[in-house]
Amino acid sequence: WIWNEKVTRKDVASTVQEMISKQVCGSKDPASAPINHKLLLQGFKQYEDEYKAWFQRWYAGSATLEDISQKCRIEAAQLGPRRTSSWNTEVKLKIPSLLGAVFAYFTISKSGQTYKKITGAFGTKLSARDPNSDSDNGEGNTENLPNVENMLIKPH
């Protein structure tokens, strides 16, 4: 499986700024609820950092899918009760990191081997290409080479 991610994606910060929140209590009309935009953006960065770290470890050969799975099981077990209403702030702050590992597992399991094959076939020419540039980065003509970062099936 490979995935061409040439889809226009909205900036995360813009998306978070446009969010609205409503609190629903019983039969009452929904009421506006505050959103901590800064905390949401920090959570996304934490998620993204964890995702990239696991993917890079796997790609370098220092982590396996089993390693990622084991980390997810351990962290999930530490979250406590399954009822999210009983989670305190400390527990909630662990969720982005856990999700980063879960989605790294998903990406690797769905398209990781194909990604390795493609990067191996094209070598540094493929990985050195800047997707936002028309230049070839001194690697020869890379105009027709795909951008390897756009070839992963990513859940986000």
Side-chain angles (χ1 to χ4, degrees):
W1 293 46
I2 58 174
W3 177 260
N4 186 343
E5 214 182 48
K6 296 227 183 242
V7 191
T8 303
R9 293 192 316 176
K10 193 172 189 176
D11 175 60
V12 174
S14 298
T15 301
V16 169
Q17 288 303 318
E18 293 174 7
M19 291 175 66
I20 60 169
S21 177
K22 300 285 183 178
Q23 185 172 15
V24 180
C25 295
S27 61
K28 296 180 182 178
D29 288 336
S32 292
I35 298 174
N36 187 334
H37 296 96
K38 183 178 177 182
L39 186 62
L40 283 174
L41 289 172
Q42 287 172 345
F44 180 78
K45 177 158 179 19
Q46 183 183 354
Y47 156 81
E48 192 172 50
D49 289 349
E50 187 75 9
Y51 172 90
K52 287 177 181 178
W54 275 111
F55 187 84
Q56 289 168 355
R57 281 185 234 141
W58 169 81
Y59 189 75
S62 62
T64 64
L65 284 173
E66 182 57 34
D67 295 332
I68 301 170
S69 175
Q70 180 68 15
K71 189 249 191 203
C72 291
R73 286 192 299 267
I74 290 168
E75 282 198 9
Q78 294 172 351
L79 293 180
R82 293 186 182 173
R83 289 187 357 252
T84 58
S85 62
S86 64
W87 287 354
N88 63 25
T89 301
E90 182 182 344
V91 170
K92 291 176 183 178
L93 291 174
K94 294 178 181 179
I95 300 296
S97 177
L98 177 59
L99 290 176
V102 167
F103 289 120
Y105 182 97
F106 172 84
T107 298
I108 294 164
S109 69
K110 294 296 182 188
S111 60
Q113 292 306 318
T114 302
Y115 178 86
K116 277 189 173 181
K117 287 178 187 176
I118 290 172
T119 56
F122 289 105
T124 58
K125 285 183 180 181
L126 187 61
S127 60
R129 183 166 177 251
D130 178 353
N132 300 314
S133 171
D134 292 331
S135 76
D136 65 11
N137 296 325
E139 295 284 334
N141 183 4
T142 60
E143 184 176 314
N144 295 319
L145 293 179
N147 176 4
V148 72
E149 289 301 317
N150 293 333
M151 294 185 163
L152 294 170
I153 296 177
K154 296 181 183 178
H156 55 287

mmCIF file of all heavy atoms in Angstrom, residues 114-151:
data_model
loop_
_atom_site.group_PDB
_atom_site.id
_atom_site.type_symbol
_atom_site.label_atom_id
_atom_site.label_comp_id
_atom_site.label_asym_id
_atom_site.label_seq_id
_atom_site.Cartn_x
_atom_site.Cartn_y
_atom_site.Cartn_z
ATOM 1 N N THR A 114 6.323 -0.886 2.126
ATOM 2 C CA THR A 114 6.343 -0.279 0.798
ATOM 3 C C THR A 114 7.180 0.988 0.821
ATOM 4 O O THR A 114 7.956 1.253 -0.097
ATOM 5 C CB THR A 114 4.909 0.032 0.329
ATOM 6 O OG1 THR A 114 4.168 -1.186 0.341
ATOM 7 C CG2 THR A 114 4.902 0.631 -1.057
ATOM 8 N N TYR A 115 7.054 1.756 1.877
ATOM 9 C CA TYR A 115 7.837 2.975 2.043
ATOM 10 C C TYR A 115 9.322 2.644 2.021
ATOM 11 O O TYR A 115 10.115 3.297 1.333
ATOM 12 C CB TYR A 115 7.434 3.633 3.359
ATOM 13 C CG TYR A 115 8.180 4.892 3.713
ATOM 14 C CD1 TYR A 115 7.758 6.124 3.223
ATOM 15 C CD2 TYR A 115 9.277 4.863 4.552
ATOM 16 C CE1 TYR A 115 8.421 7.301 3.564
ATOM 17 C CE2 TYR A 115 9.942 6.032 4.900
ATOM 18 C CZ TYR A 115 9.508 7.237 4.404
ATOM 19 O OH TYR A 115 10.161 8.395 4.749
ATOM 20 N N LYS A 116 9.715 1.599 2.744
ATOM 21 C CA LYS A 116 11.125 1.197 2.766
ATOM 22 C C LYS A 116 11.588 0.750 1.386
ATOM 23 O O LYS A 116 12.700 1.062 0.970
ATOM 24 C CB LYS A 116 11.356 0.087 3.790
ATOM 25 C CG LYS A 116 11.530 0.584 5.188
ATOM 26 C CD LYS A 116 11.981 -0.529 6.113
ATOM 27 C CE LYS A 116 12.326 0.013 7.478
ATOM 28 N NZ LYS A 116 12.797 -1.016 8.394
ATOM 29 N N LYS A 117 10.749 0.012 0.677
ATOM 30 C CA LYS A 117 11.123 -0.444 -0.667
ATOM 31 C C LYS A 117 11.333 0.739 -1.599
ATOM 32 O O LYS A 117 12.274 0.776 -2.380
ATOM 33 C CB LYS A 117 10.049 -1.375 -1.237
ATOM 34 C CG LYS A 117 10.036 -2.736 -0.605
ATOM 35 C CD LYS A 117 8.923 -3.574 -1.197
ATOM 36 C CE LYS A 117 8.792 -4.881 -0.440
ATOM 37 N NZ LYS A 117 7.652 -5.671 -0.925
ATOM 38 N N ILE A 118 10.424 1.697 -1.528
ATOM 39 C CA ILE A 118 10.518 2.854 -2.426
ATOM 40 C C ILE A 118 11.730 3.700 -2.077
ATOM 41 O O ILE A 118 12.471 4.120 -2.967
ATOM 42 C CB ILE A 118 9.221 3.684 -2.384
ATOM 43 C CG1 ILE A 118 8.108 2.893 -3.062
ATOM 44 C CG2 ILE A 118 9.409 5.026 -3.062
ATOM 45 C CD1 ILE A 118 6.748 3.506 -2.915
ATOM 46 N N THR A 119 11.953 3.950 -0.796
ATOM 47 C CA THR A 119 13.119 4.760 -0.432
ATOM 48 C C THR A 119 14.402 4.023 -0.781
ATOM 49 O O THR A 119 15.382 4.645 -1.171
ATOM 50 C CB THR A 119 13.119 5.150 1.057
ATOM 51 O OG1 THR A 119 13.050 3.968 1.851
ATOM 52 C CG2 THR A 119 11.991 6.091 1.384
ATOM 53 N N GLY A 120 14.390 2.715 -0.673
ATOM 54 C CA GLY A 120 15.565 1.932 -1.062
ATOM 55 C C GLY A 120 15.808 1.973 -2.561
ATOM 56 O O GLY A 120 16.947 2.055 -3.022
ATOM 57 N N ALA A 121 14.740 1.961 -3.340
ATOM 58 C CA ALA A 121 14.871 1.970 -4.798
ATOM 59 C C ALA A 121 15.375 3.304 -5.318
ATOM 60 O O ALA A 121 16.146 3.361 -6.266
ATOM 61 C CB ALA A 121 13.522 1.635 -5.438
ATOM 62 N N PHE A 122 14.943 4.391 -4.698
ATOM 63 C CA PHE A 122 15.323 5.714 -5.177
ATOM 64 C C PHE A 122 16.497 6.295 -4.406
ATOM 65 O O PHE A 122 17.077 7.280 -4.820
ATOM 66 C CB PHE A 122 14.133 6.684 -5.101
ATOM 67 C CG PHE A 122 13.075 6.402 -6.114
ATOM 68 C CD1 PHE A 122 11.887 5.801 -5.749
ATOM 69 C CD2 PHE A 122 13.263 6.738 -7.448
ATOM 70 C CE1 PHE A 122 10.902 5.550 -6.680
ATOM 71 C CE2 PHE A 122 12.287 6.486 -8.387
ATOM 72 C CZ PHE A 122 11.104 5.884 -8.011
ATOM 73 N N GLY A 123 16.808 5.733 -3.246
ATOM 74 C CA GLY A 123 17.936 6.203 -2.462
ATOM 75 C C GLY A 123 17.773 7.635 -1.990
ATOM 76 O O GLY A 123 16.680 8.122 -1.776
ATOM 77 N N THR A 124 18.896 8.313 -1.852
ATOM 78 C CA THR A 124 18.882 9.658 -1.286
ATOM 79 C C THR A 124 18.207 10.666 -2.195
ATOM 80 O O THR A 124 17.743 11.693 -1.736
ATOM 81 C CB THR A 124 20.306 10.148 -0.986
ATOM 82 O OG1 THR A 124 21.053 10.113 -2.198
ATOM 83 C CG2 THR A 124 20.958 9.303 0.079
ATOM 84 N N LYS A 125 18.152 10.392 -3.487
ATOM 85 C CA LYS A 125 17.493 11.342 -4.386
ATOM 86 C C LYS A 125 16.052 11.561 -3.942
ATOM 87 O O LYS A 125 15.567 12.674 -3.903
ATOM 88 C CB LYS A 125 17.482 10.825 -5.830
ATOM 89 C CG LYS A 125 18.801 10.909 -6.519
ATOM 90 C CD LYS A 125 18.621 10.447 -7.945
ATOM 91 C CE LYS A 125 19.921 10.510 -8.705
ATOM 92 N NZ LYS A 125 19.749 10.089 -10.085
ATOM 93 N N LEU A 126 15.401 10.481 -3.606
ATOM 94 C CA LEU A 126 14.000 10.570 -3.214
ATOM 95 C C LEU A 126 13.842 11.273 -1.872
ATOM 96 O O LEU A 126 13.050 12.178 -1.736
ATOM 97 C CB LEU A 126 13.396 9.168 -3.139
ATOM 98 C CG LEU A 126 11.913 9.067 -2.904
ATOM 99 C CD1 LEU A 126 11.142 9.725 -4.028
ATOM 100 C CD2 LEU A 126 11.501 7.622 -2.777
ATOM 101 N N SER A 127 14.631 10.873 -0.894
ATOM 102 C CA SER A 127 14.445 11.443 0.431
ATOM 103 C C SER A 127 14.966 12.871 0.537
ATOM 104 O O SER A 127 14.555 13.608 1.400
ATOM 105 C CB SER A 127 15.120 10.569 1.492
ATOM 106 O OG SER A 127 16.490 10.467 1.237
ATOM 107 N N ALA A 128 15.871 13.272 -0.364
ATOM 108 C CA ALA A 128 16.427 14.616 -0.292
ATOM 109 C C ALA A 128 15.550 15.654 -0.971
ATOM 110 O O ALA A 128 15.761 16.833 -0.824
ATOM 111 C CB ALA A 128 17.816 14.639 -0.930
ATOM 112 N N ARG A 129 14.579 15.229 -1.716
ATOM 113 C CA ARG A 129 13.758 16.153 -2.482
ATOM 114 C C ARG A 129 12.868 16.975 -1.577
ATOM 115 O O ARG A 129 12.143 16.448 -0.741
ATOM 116 C CB ARG A 129 12.885 15.360 -3.456
ATOM 117 C CG ARG A 129 12.055 16.266 -4.332
ATOM 118 C CD ARG A 129 11.479 15.467 -5.488
ATOM 119 N NE ARG A 129 10.640 16.354 -6.243
ATOM 120 C CZ ARG A 129 9.317 16.268 -6.259
ATOM 121 N NH1 ARG A 129 8.710 15.340 -5.591
ATOM 122 N NH2 ARG A 129 8.613 17.107 -6.967
ATOM 123 N N ASP A 130 12.910 18.268 -1.744
ATOM 124 C CA ASP A 130 12.054 19.187 -0.998
ATOM 125 C C ASP A 130 10.738 19.299 -1.747
ATOM 126 O O ASP A 130 10.710 19.759 -2.884
ATOM 127 C CB ASP A 130 12.731 20.559 -0.889
ATOM 128 C CG ASP A 130 11.871 21.577 -0.153
ATOM 129 O OD1 ASP A 130 10.702 21.278 0.157
ATOM 130 O OD2 ASP A 130 12.381 22.675 0.105
ATOM 131 N N PRO A 131 9.621 18.866 -1.152
ATOM 132 C CA PRO A 131 8.340 18.881 -1.865
ATOM 133 C C PRO A 131 7.857 20.283 -2.210
ATOM 134 O O PRO A 131 7.004 20.452 -3.052
ATOM 135 C CB PRO A 131 7.383 18.202 -0.884
ATOM 136 C CG PRO A 131 8.000 18.425 0.448
ATOM 137 C CD PRO A 131 9.488 18.434 0.223
ATOM 138 N N ASN A 132 8.412 21.287 -1.569
ATOM 139 C CA ASN A 132 7.975 22.652 -1.822
ATOM 140 C C ASN A 132 8.899 23.399 -2.771
ATOM 141 O O ASN A 132 8.786 24.594 -2.938
ATOM 142 C CB ASN A 132 7.895 23.424 -0.496
ATOM 143 C CG ASN A 132 6.912 22.780 0.446
ATOM 144 O OD1 ASN A 132 5.808 22.437 0.037
ATOM 145 N ND2 ASN A 132 7.307 22.581 1.680
ATOM 146 N N SER A 133 9.839 22.679 -3.365
ATOM 147 C CA SER A 133 10.825 23.322 -4.212
ATOM 148 C C SER A 133 10.836 22.683 -5.593
ATOM 149 O O SER A 133 10.606 21.495 -5.738
ATOM 150 C CB SER A 133 12.211 23.184 -3.574
ATOM 151 O OG SER A 133 13.197 23.611 -4.474
ATOM 152 N N ASP A 134 11.130 23.495 -6.597
ATOM 153 C CA ASP A 134 11.276 22.962 -7.947
ATOM 154 C C ASP A 134 12.714 22.554 -8.227
ATOM 155 O O ASP A 134 13.012 21.974 -9.253
ATOM 156 C CB ASP A 134 10.842 24.011 -8.986
ATOM 157 C CG ASP A 134 9.345 24.265 -8.924
ATOM 158 O OD1 ASP A 134 8.613 23.332 -8.552
ATOM 159 O OD2 ASP A 134 8.925 25.388 -9.246
ATOM 160 N N SER A 135 13.624 22.867 -7.306
ATOM 161 C CA SER A 135 15.029 22.537 -7.540
ATOM 162 C C SER A 135 15.268 21.067 -7.258
ATOM 163 O O SER A 135 14.491 20.396 -6.609
ATOM 164 C CB SER A 135 15.928 23.395 -6.648
ATOM 165 O OG SER A 135 15.887 22.917 -5.329
ATOM 166 N N ASP A 136 16.402 20.577 -7.743
ATOM 167 C CA ASP A 136 16.711 19.166 -7.547
ATOM 168 C C ASP A 136 17.712 18.929 -6.419
ATOM 169 O O ASP A 136 18.216 17.840 -6.241
ATOM 170 C CB ASP A 136 17.202 18.530 -8.848
ATOM 171 C CG ASP A 136 18.523 19.110 -9.327
ATOM 172 O OD1 ASP A 136 19.169 19.845 -8.564
ATOM 173 O OD2 ASP A 136 18.903 18.815 -10.473
ATOM 174 N N ASN A 137 18.033 19.956 -5.637
ATOM 175 C CA ASN A 137 18.918 19.838 -4.479
ATOM 176 C C ASN A 137 20.280 19.261 -4.813
ATOM 177 O O ASN A 137 20.912 18.622 -3.983
ATOM 178 C CB ASN A 137 18.270 18.984 -3.371
ATOM 179 C CG ASN A 137 17.036 19.627 -2.813
ATOM 180 O OD1 ASN A 137 16.962 20.854 -2.715
ATOM 181 N ND2 ASN A 137 16.056 18.828 -2.463
ATOM 182 N N GLY A 138 20.741 19.425 -6.047
ATOM 183 C CA GLY A 138 22.050 18.939 -6.425
ATOM 184 C C GLY A 138 22.123 17.439 -6.581
ATOM 185 O O GLY A 138 23.188 16.860 -6.691
ATOM 186 N N GLU A 139 21.004 16.779 -6.582
ATOM 187 C CA GLU A 139 20.976 15.318 -6.667
ATOM 188 C C GLU A 139 20.693 14.833 -8.084
ATOM 189 O O GLU A 139 20.339 13.686 -8.279
ATOM 190 C CB GLU A 139 19.888 14.759 -5.727
ATOM 191 C CG GLU A 139 20.146 14.992 -4.273
ATOM 192 C CD GLU A 139 21.210 14.052 -3.729
ATOM 193 O OE1 GLU A 139 21.377 12.955 -4.292
ATOM 194 O OE2 GLU A 139 21.874 14.419 -2.754
ATOM 195 N N GLY A 140 20.778 15.670 -9.042
ATOM 196 C CA GLY A 140 20.420 15.270 -10.394
ATOM 197 C C GLY A 140 18.972 15.636 -10.647
ATOM 198 O O GLY A 140 18.351 16.338 -9.874
ATOM 199 N N ASN A 141 18.415 15.144 -11.716
ATOM 200 C CA ASN A 141 17.038 15.484 -12.073
ATOM 201 C C ASN A 141 16.067 14.659 -11.232
ATOM 202 O O ASN A 141 15.893 13.475 -11.456
ATOM 203 C CB ASN A 141 16.807 15.234 -13.567
ATOM 204 C CG ASN A 141 15.412 15.645 -13.984
ATOM 205 O OD1 ASN A 141 14.650 16.175 -13.180
ATOM 206 N ND2 ASN A 141 15.083 15.413 -15.225
ATOM 207 N N THR A 142 15.428 15.298 -10.269
ATOM 208 C CA THR A 142 14.448 14.613 -9.412
ATOM 209 C C THR A 142 13.032 15.067 -9.738
ATOM 210 O O THR A 142 12.108 14.761 -9.007
ATOM 211 C CB THR A 142 14.733 14.885 -7.918
ATOM 212 O OG1 THR A 142 14.662 16.284 -7.700
ATOM 213 C CG2 THR A 142 16.079 14.340 -7.502
ATOM 214 N N GLU A 143 12.890 15.766 -10.833
ATOM 215 C CA GLU A 143 11.589 16.339 -11.177
ATOM 216 C C GLU A 143 10.480 15.298 -11.220
ATOM 217 O O GLU A 143 9.368 15.537 -10.777
ATOM 218 C CB GLU A 143 11.705 17.025 -12.538
ATOM 219 C CG GLU A 143 10.449 17.734 -12.960
ATOM 220 C CD GLU A 143 10.660 18.466 -14.272
ATOM 221 O OE1 GLU A 143 11.680 19.148 -14.423
ATOM 222 O OE2 GLU A 143 9.789 18.313 -15.148
ATOM 223 N N ASN A 144 10.770 14.107 -11.723
ATOM 224 C CA ASN A 144 9.736 13.086 -11.870
ATOM 225 C C ASN A 144 9.696 12.095 -10.721
ATOM 226 O O ASN A 144 8.918 11.156 -10.740
ATOM 227 C CB ASN A 144 9.921 12.346 -13.193
ATOM 228 C CG ASN A 144 9.708 13.268 -14.368
ATOM 229 O OD1 ASN A 144 8.795 14.088 -14.350
ATOM 230 N ND2 ASN A 144 10.562 13.166 -15.362
ATOM 231 N N LEU A 145 10.559 12.287 -9.719
ATOM 232 C CA LEU A 145 10.546 11.387 -8.574
ATOM 233 C C LEU A 145 9.444 11.791 -7.611
ATOM 234 O O LEU A 145 9.217 12.970 -7.383
ATOM 235 C CB LEU A 145 11.889 11.422 -7.834
ATOM 236 C CG LEU A 145 13.085 10.852 -8.586
ATOM 237 C CD1 LEU A 145 14.332 10.987 -7.722
ATOM 238 C CD2 LEU A 145 12.862 9.413 -8.962
ATOM 239 N N PRO A 146 8.769 10.815 -7.034
ATOM 240 C CA PRO A 146 7.728 11.153 -6.059
ATOM 241 C C PRO A 146 8.344 11.624 -4.753
ATOM 242 O O PRO A 146 9.474 11.294 -4.430
ATOM 243 C CB PRO A 146 6.995 9.818 -5.862
ATOM 244 C CG PRO A 146 7.994 8.777 -6.226
ATOM 245 C CD PRO A 146 8.888 9.383 -7.273
ATOM 246 N N ASN A 147 7.588 12.403 -4.019
ATOM 247 C CA ASN A 147 8.007 12.821 -2.693
ATOM 248 C C ASN A 147 7.663 11.692 -1.739
ATOM 249 O O ASN A 147 6.500 11.378 -1.510
ATOM 250 C CB ASN A 147 7.289 14.111 -2.295
ATOM 251 C CG ASN A 147 7.609 14.532 -0.878
ATOM 252 O OD1 ASN A 147 8.425 13.916 -0.200
ATOM 253 N ND2 ASN A 147 6.958 15.579 -0.435
ATOM 254 N N VAL A 148 8.674 11.088 -1.155
ATOM 255 C CA VAL A 148 8.481 9.906 -0.330
ATOM 256 C C VAL A 148 7.600 10.177 0.882
ATOM 257 O O VAL A 148 6.867 9.305 1.332
ATOM 258 C CB VAL A 148 9.853 9.313 0.078
ATOM 259 C CG1 VAL A 148 10.529 10.188 1.095
ATOM 260 C CG2 VAL A 148 9.700 7.905 0.568
ATOM 261 N N GLU A 149 7.623 11.376 1.420
ATOM 262 C CA GLU A 149 6.790 11.681 2.581
ATOM 263 C C GLU A 149 5.302 11.624 2.242
ATOM 264 O O GLU A 149 4.473 11.520 3.120
ATOM 265 C CB GLU A 149 7.144 13.055 3.153
ATOM 266 C CG GLU A 149 8.488 13.081 3.836
ATOM 267 C CD GLU A 149 8.582 12.092 4.989
ATOM 268 O OE1 GLU A 149 7.618 11.983 5.773
ATOM 269 O OE2 GLU A 149 9.610 11.421 5.094
ATOM 270 N N ASN A 150 4.961 11.698 0.974
ATOM 271 C CA ASN A 150 3.560 11.650 0.565
ATOM 272 C C ASN A 150 3.103 10.234 0.261
ATOM 273 O O ASN A 150 2.044 10.030 -0.305
ATOM 274 C CB ASN A 150 3.331 12.532 -0.665
ATOM 275 C CG ASN A 150 3.507 13.991 -0.346
ATOM 276 O OD1 ASN A 150 3.301 14.403 0.783
ATOM 277 N ND2 ASN A 150 3.902 14.765 -1.324
ATOM 278 N N MET A 151 3.910 9.253 0.606
ATOM 279 C CA MET A 151 3.585 7.874 0.246
ATOM 280 C C MET A 151 3.154 7.029 1.423
ATOM 281 O O MET A 151 3.022 5.829 1.287
ATOM 282 C CB MET A 151 4.783 7.228 -0.419
ATOM 283 C CG MET A 151 5.081 7.874 -1.732
ATOM 284 S SD MET A 151 6.371 6.979 -2.513
ATOM 285 C CE MET A 151 6.165 7.602 -4.152
#
